[in-house]
Amino acid sequence: MIGDVPRRADSSQVATQLRVIGALFMRELLTRFGTSRVGFIWLLAEPMFLALMISTMHWASGHGVGNNLPTFLFYAMGYTPFVMFRSIVNRGQNVINANMSLLFHRNITLLDLAIARNLMEAAVCSMIITLFVTVAAVFFDEWPHEPALLFCGLMMSALLAHGLSMLLAALTCFYEPLERFTHPLTYLMMPISATFYMLSMLPSESRDLLLINPLVHVHEMNRWAQFGDRVVPYYSIPYVLCWILGLNLLGMAGLRAARSRITMME
């Protein structure tokens, strides 16, 4: 007598989507870095090179950043998180057009595509930031003041970029020329995001105006998490969380609206 053959339990919808996102993540990773390591090297070299140049200019002029802050680490910790934000927004906006053929698969949604691509960008940039922090700690005795808060700051930057990239990807389906403006606009955000300066250096009027930008709060929080009482931070975590919630809800709603406008071509 043959007993019942054991069967694999049906996977839940959540488990299925997690596997889909994992597969898409590996696909994005191989697509970006599988055939060439030049892209990864440049992703590491760009913030290092810029931080080194700015640090050298300040050193040559005899002007540091004060309070015995390491000049190179100060600028690297400002620019590298901004690189993550810019990279997620710029590459995430094109996620629909770049992966149109994958939407033939029933289990793949626009949200899965956005999460996989943006998660890959965030993971790679986070590795670079971790490398900077580790080198500073081991070789220059610059240990993070609040490592957990620094990690939260990086997560907030990634989630802000994730929500904005989903919203832009959806809007691009309705107005395709929008894609041409995203790259220059993300560069223009750099001077108003406290990437290379602290708010404590500015007058109160300018400070209050810049604090409208949630990225300013994130950068100020990251600096305090790294340097502690050597800096005077200005940030509000609830304010950033409100922006994260709003952008991500708008982004998901936008992707849902864009799905009906996508025409699948054989």
Side-chain angles (χ1 to χ4, degrees), residues 8 167 183 206:
R8 181 183 299 173
L167 182 59
H183 285 263
S206 302

Side-chain angles (χ1 to χ4, degrees), residues 1 10 14 26-27 33 51 53 69 76 130-131 156 210 213 218 230 251:
M1 181 176 179
D10 292 336
V14 173
M26 293 305 301
R27 179 179 181 273
F33 304 119
M53 290 298 101
L69 296 177
T130 302
L131 176 62
M156 288 181 181
L210 288 171
N213 183 353
V218 174
R230 286 182 288 174

Side-chain angles (χ1 to χ4, degrees), residues 12 15 49 55 58 63 82 85 95-96 116 129 149 158 173 183 186-187 189 244 264:
S12 67
F49 179 76
S55 301
H58 277 263
H63 295 92
F82 184 82
F85 177 86
V95 67
I96 297 177
I129 297 169
L149 188 62
C173 290
H183 285 263
T186 53
Y187 276 107
M189 285 185 66
I244 290 173
M264 308 291 290

Side-chain angles (χ1 to χ4, degrees), residues 32 82-92 121 125:
R32 180 122 186 235
F82 184 82
V83 168
M84 177 172 66
F85 177 86
R86 190 192 71 198
S87 184
I88 291 174
V89 171
N90 288 343
R91 289 182 58 81
E121 293 291 335
C125 292

Side-chain angles (χ1 to χ4, degrees), residues 82-214:
F82 184 82
V83 168
M84 177 172 66
F85 177 86
R86 190 192 71 198
S87 184
I88 291 174
V89 171
N90 288 343
R91 289 182 58 81
Q93 184 191 17
N94 192 40
V95 67
I96 297 177
N97 292 332
N99 296 282
M100 190 76 71
S101 61
L102 294 178
L103 296 176
F104 281 107
H105 298 280
R106 183 182 61 182
N107 288 328
I108 297 180
T109 66
L110 293 177
L111 183 59
D112 296 332
L113 294 172
I115 290 175
R117 171 166 289 196
N118 295 341
L119 186 62
M120 188 272 294
E121 293 291 335
V124 172
C125 292
S126 296
M127 288 173 55
I128 297 171
I129 297 169
T130 302
L131 176 62
F132 284 155
V133 172
T134 302
V135 170
V138 174
F139 294 99
F140 302 99
D141 200 30
E142 283 287 344
W143 296 89
H145 178 68
E146 289 284 352
L149 188 62
L150 180 59
F151 175 78
C152 288
L154 298 178
M155 288 290 294
M156 288 181 181
S157 182
L159 288 172
L160 282 170
H162 176 62
L164 182 58
S165 70
M166 288 193 298
L167 182 59
L168 290 174
L171 291 175
T172 302
C173 290
F174 294 89
Y175 184 68
E176 190 173 347
L178 179 64
E179 186 176 359
R180 301 189 183 96
F181 297 98
T182 303
H183 285 263
L185 285 177
T186 53
Y187 276 107
L188 291 175
M189 285 185 66
M190 189 184 303
I192 62 171
S193 299
T195 306
F196 295 130
Y197 56 87
M198 295 182 290
L199 292 189
S200 58
M201 302 174 176
L202 304 177
S204 58
E205 295 82 4
S206 302
R207 185 188 308 145
D208 293 338
L209 189 62
L210 288 171
L211 282 172
I212 298 173
N213 183 353

